[in-house]
Amino acid sequence: MDPYKFRPSSANNSPYFTANSGAPVWNNNSSLTVGHRGPILLEDYHLVEKLANFDRERIPERVVHARGASAKGFFEVTHDVSHLTCADFLRSPGVQTPVIVRFSTVIHERGSPETIRDPRGFAVKFYTREGNFDLVGNNFPVFFIRDGMKFPDMVHSLKPNPKSHIQENWRIMDFFSHHPESLHMFTFLFDDIGVPADYRHMEGSGVNTYTLVNKAGKAYYVKFHWKPTCGVKSLLEDEAVKIGGANHSHATQDLCDSIAAGNYPEWKLFIQTIDPADEDKFDFDPLDVTKTWPEDILPLQPVGRLVLNKNIDNFFAENEQLAFCPAIVVPGVHYSDDKLLQTRIFSYSDTQRHRLGPNYLQLPVNAPKCSHHNNHYDGFMNFMHRDEEVDYFPSRYDPVRHAERYPIPSNILNGRCEKQIIPKENNFKQPGERYRSMDPARQERFICRVVDALSDPRVTHEIRSIWVSYWSQADKSLGMKVASRLNVRPTM
């Protein structure tokens, strides 16, 4: 073979998975971590390469969350949480911080209708006195997968077929049949709340586990929850078809019209916290994003309120160019070893650099509103005025110094570098509990959506049987009902 005439082609597929370089990949399911949980190591070249390629798949539309709407307002602290965090914007009740919020659908294109059954993005950018804090989440408190290694595959399965550009259930059911941890997310997606009535009547969740750190350096795992003061409302199938047929931008229009009329959308922020010393007391891993934290054991603690009282001035400047990244935190808020969060720290900023350029944080909507200084300059679309002669650190000609030290979690890392699934998967308990919490009519609608997805003609008997097994392990009666309607023999 002449290497200079060789053309890459799917006709030359390897029987095993490889990196772009052709090197064999022996584990395409788990990222390389210290111990079985983390943190993730930057030396996992296959993970970084996989995410970097995925981040650049769409130009210039967002790979996910392409369809969205934004609004501006403020966040006000209503309860003292200074014993949990030294974050300046949470320092005391009454403190207000400017924000911009973007709501979105996840999978479909920028012009897609807002009545599609799809998770919704709920991203908040706080313009604090200590820099920006991006709290990037969804309307559901859990996620499909727990390891970011699977994120590109997950999105590919949910996106339209690359050959026909049609979203097809057989692809979705096939991929997730390999990932039983996704069951919990499907109990939300296939539930009535799978199609929010609009953005105002929608809950939000940070999804990932972060860490709060107080002035003494004490760390607490934390989950963030947004609760709309006007309640939660959703659309059933016939309502969604009717509204979507009349106005494919109904949620964007509702948000805009409500703010213009002075009917300002408002959410209450609550948190749940866990002392890391207690994390082994649960029958699940608290850092697993496919799990919720039981509120009867870990109650919601009120923090503040979010009010959106101003529409954006320009859709492109303040919605399309608006960029979020879970890595953008402030002193007092830090990451955890949550595997999905660890990969999002890299992937989101990498995506924005590809979509908007390396200087995307200089765009007015993304730039911090406090004073700031660094030696990052030049590159595409750099419009920062600079007259410094010293562009290095430290220098005796430049008075810039290190900031005052602030506490960060001081975890002791000990473990082998390995690619493994977490030990406490417990994939079926919480999905079963959530199904049993529904009233009978709601259960029936849920079952119909599950059966409809599995009734795609290209879903094989093997895949249907696997799903029946999963739902049976979550709830025996649910599995039997799904099996009966699909004419599949239950395995339990």
Side-chain angles (χ1 to χ4, degrees):
M1 179 184 67
D2 185 345
Y4 297 102
K5 293 183 178 180
F6 177 72
R7 178 187 177 190
S9 168
S10 59
N12 192 45
N13 277 345
S14 164
Y16 49 78
F17 210 90
T18 73
N20 282 353
S21 64
V25 174
W26 70 271
N27 187 333
N28 188 41
N29 291 321
S30 302
S31 48
L32 183 64
T33 58
V34 178
H36 60 260
R37 191 172 69 180
I40 288 172
L41 299 177
L42 185 60
E43 71 178 64
D44 191 346
Y45 169 72
H46 173 58
L47 171 69
V48 173
E49 179 189 61
K50 184 176 181 179
L51 292 173
N53 275 266
F54 173 72
D55 294 343
R56 290 162 175 78
E57 285 183 5
R58 301 291 187 276
I59 303 173
E61 182 177 283
R62 288 172 168 89
V63 179
V64 286
H65 300 277
R67 177 64 194 262
S70 304
K72 296 182 281 191
F74 65 89
F75 174 77
E76 181 181 12
V77 180
T78 57
H79 291 74
D80 185 10
V81 291
S82 59
H83 61 293
L84 296 173
T85 177
C86 60
D88 177 75
F89 81 103
L90 297 174
R91 63 188 178 274
S92 63
V95 172
Q96 289 191 358
T97 301
V99 301
I100 187 168
V101 180
R102 187 174 189 269
F103 307 100
S104 57
T105 58
V106 175
I107 293 300
H108 298 276
E109 295 92 339
R110 190 161 53 193
S112 57
E114 293 176 310
T115 49
I116 288 177
R117 182 169 298 276
D118 193 23
R120 301 297 193 270
F122 194 122
V124 184
K125 186 181 293 291
F126 299 81
Y127 298 108
T128 88
R129 301 192 307 182
E130 295 181 308
N132 293 351
F133 170 41
D134 288 359
L135 183 54
V136 189
N138 291 330
N139 63 322
F140 302 147
V142 296
F143 202 62
F144 291 104
I145 44 115
R146 60 170 69 96
D147 193 320
M149 178 66 85
K150 302 310 300 175
F151 190 80
D153 301 293
M154 180 205 76
V155 173
H156 286 168
S157 75
L158 292 165
K159 286 279 191 182
N161 185 322
K163 186 174 182 179
S164 64
H165 201 67
I166 299 171
Q167 188 183 41
E168 295 169 324
N169 281 332
W170 68 267
R171 291 163 39 83
I172 299 170
M173 295 294 98
D174 173 34
F175 173 75
F176 288 110
S177 72
H178 297 274
H179 300 282
E181 67 268 27
S182 66
L183 254 65
H184 202 186
M185 181 67 164
F186 278 109
T187 65
F188 287 87
L189 183 62
F190 285 167
D191 189 13
D192 290 350
I193 60 174
V195 183
D198 50 61
Y199 296 131
R200 291 184 300 122
H201 294 88
M202 185 179 82
E203 292 184 338
S205 171
V207 182
N208 293 114
T209 300
Y210 283 84
T211 305
L212 296 180
V213 189
N214 65 20
K215 291 180 180 179
K218 173 62 179 174
Y220 300 89
Y221 292 145
V222 62
K223 280 188 178 289
F224 297 93
H225 303 274
W226 299 104
K227 304 289 184 181
T229 57
C230 58
V232 175
K233 293 183 180 179
S234 305
L235 301 176
L236 298 182
E237 279 74 1
D238 55 344
E239 298 171 304
V241 169
K242 181 179 179 180
I243 292 174
N247 180 4
H248 80 298
S249 299
H250 82 284
T252 297
Q253 183 170 353
D254 174 83
L255 179 67
C256 184
D257 290 350
S258 297
I259 294 174
N263 181 22
Y264 301 141
E266 181 175 334
W267 288 261
K268 302 293 185 183
L269 176 63
F270 296 87
I271 59 173
Q272 290 174 288
T273 59
I274 293 178
D275 189 323
D278 297 333
E279 63 177 282
D280 293 332
K281 295 181 179 179
F282 302 93
D283 62 1
F284 62 93
D285 189 326
L287 306 190
D288 179 356
V289 292
T290 68
K291 304 296 186 291
T292 55
W293 293 359
E295 294 180 16
D296 56 338
I297 301 174
L298 303 164
L300 296 177
Q301 306 172 52
V303 178
R305 67 187 187 115
L306 169 69
V307 179
L308 300 181
N309 58 6
K310 188 176 188 305
N311 280 310
I312 56 176
D313 300 311
N314 179 274
F315 183 80
F316 181 77
E318 295 181 301
N319 185 77
E320 295 304 286
Q321 291 193 131
L322 178 58
F324 294 90
C325 176
I328 296 179
V329 295
V330 293
V333 181
H334 202 70
Y335 321 120
S336 74
D337 290 343
D338 172 343
K339 285 191 178 185
L340 189 67
L341 175 60
Q342 290 270 315
T343 47
R344 292 177 82 202
I345 289 170
F346 161 76
S347 184
Y348 275 62
S349 57
D350 186 55
T351 297
Q352 306 301 2
R353 284 189 287 267
H354 167 63
R355 192 173 68 88
L356 299 171
N359 292 301
Y360 75 96
L361 289 175
Q362 288 185 21
L363 292 167
V365 72
N366 300 322
K369 308 312 174 195
C370 59
S371 59
H372 56 286
H373 175 92
N374 56 54
N375 292 324
H376 301 163
Y377 65 100
D378 292 355
F380 294 110
M381 300 300 292
N382 188 308
F383 50 87
M384 173 76 71
H385 172 72
R386 292 183 180 273
D387 56 12
E388 300 99 337
E389 293 184 279
V390 175
D391 56 0
Y392 49 87
F393 181 91
S395 169
R396 291 182 174 83
Y397 296 94
D398 187 345
V400 172
R401 64 190 188 280
H402 283 121
E404 291 186 18
R405 184 173 180 174
Y406 55 84
I408 61 173
S410 55
N411 299 338
I412 298 174
L413 303 179
N414 182 28
R416 295 178 180 272
C417 297
E418 53 191 1
K419 287 178 172 278
Q420 290 203 12
I421 296 172
I422 63 172
K424 290 184 182 178
E425 287 196 82
N426 207 349
N427 294 321
F428 306 107
K429 180 182 177 183
Q430 290 192 3
E433 291 173 343
R434 177 165 170 76
Y435 170 76
R436 289 187 290 275
S437 72
M438 303 175 188
D439 62 59
R442 192 167 177 174
Q443 288 181 346
E444 174 61 23
R445 291 190 292 269
F446 174 79
I447 292 170
C448 287
R449 294 174 190 126
V450 171
V451 171
D452 179 66
L454 290 169
S455 296
D456 186 305
R458 292 188 65 179
V459 174
T460 65
H461 180 77
E462 177 190 15
I463 293 174
R464 289 194 183 103
S465 298
I466 290 170
W467 277 103
V468 167
S469 170
Y470 287 166
W471 289 121
S472 296
Q473 291 177 74
D475 183 271
K476 189 173 182 179
S477 65
L478 169 59
M480 292 179 65
K481 291 175 182 177
V482 172
S484 174
R485 300 186 194 191
L486 291 173
N487 196 26
V488 173
R489 183 184 299 275
T491 57
M492 293 183 64

